[in-house]
Amino acid sequence: MSAEVERLYEVFGRVPRPLKMEGCAHCVAPDEDRPLLEGPVRSLGVDVLRRYATDALLLWGDVPEFRYFLPRLLELAADNEFDWPDPEIVFSKLGRGRWTEWAADERAVISAFLTRWWETRVDDDCPWPDIGTVLCSLGLTGIELVPFLDRWGRLGTTGAIINLHEFVTTGVTWRTTGPDLRNPFWDKETPGYQNVIAWLADGSALAAVEHGFHNETREEMLALLDETHSLLGAHDR
């Protein structure tokens, strides 16, 4: 993802460094922003950014400051470098900051970064963070998830098959009324959540698995597809 990361730094490098980071008077000390404003943004470490990554746009700073720190925040969160906050929290700041209303070149580089992040993780047979975390993080940004799910549904790699099996067996609660996503960061009222639920329940994911059977010959992969198919088929609308 190095090219996409560099483009983030390039485009958002035009955002001026804040002179001061105002925060909640009861939560943020007057000089707590000092370490954040020393040196290049890409040199800021996890320990320096952790508090801001958690409280940005809630208790500390506004959109202009967030845009300044954005490349480093996304770079670290995508690699799950923070032990806290979770990636879902960091990526949800994009949705809170309404990035889809920003300048066209900013929207383009963010979209390219998110797309590439998904591609690298969904095709990884042992992604870190796990695929459920990545999917939820993307959903919380407000980006349209249908193209991401379509990409997954091609099941063109070992990683895509393994991740789908892992997701439907451990990331979903299958109820008589339909599937629920287990990740507690999901907002069930958002379009992203509804996109994933529809993909699992309306036959799209099931059709992808059935297509996958025709392209697979390895016994271990066929076994995963079979188990995935059984779960999806039992709850297909």
Side-chain angles (χ1 to χ4, degrees), residues 21 36 48-57 60-70 73 85 93:
M21 293 276 291
L36 291 168
V48 172
L49 274 172
R50 181 180 289 108
R51 173 75 189 281
Y52 175 73
T54 303
D55 292 339
L57 304 182
W60 203 359
D62 209 335
V63 172
E65 294 88 355
F66 176 66
R67 289 171 63 247
Y68 172 76
F69 293 107
L70 180 66
L73 291 172
K93 307 293 184 180

Side-chain angles (χ1 to χ4, degrees), residues 115-136:
T115 299
R116 185 58 179 157
W117 187 41
W118 176 251
E119 290 173 348
T120 60
R121 296 306 188 264
V122 79
D123 288 336
D124 190 335
D125 57 12
C126 189
W128 184 252
D130 65 86
I131 204 64
T133 295
V134 176
L135 185 59
C136 181

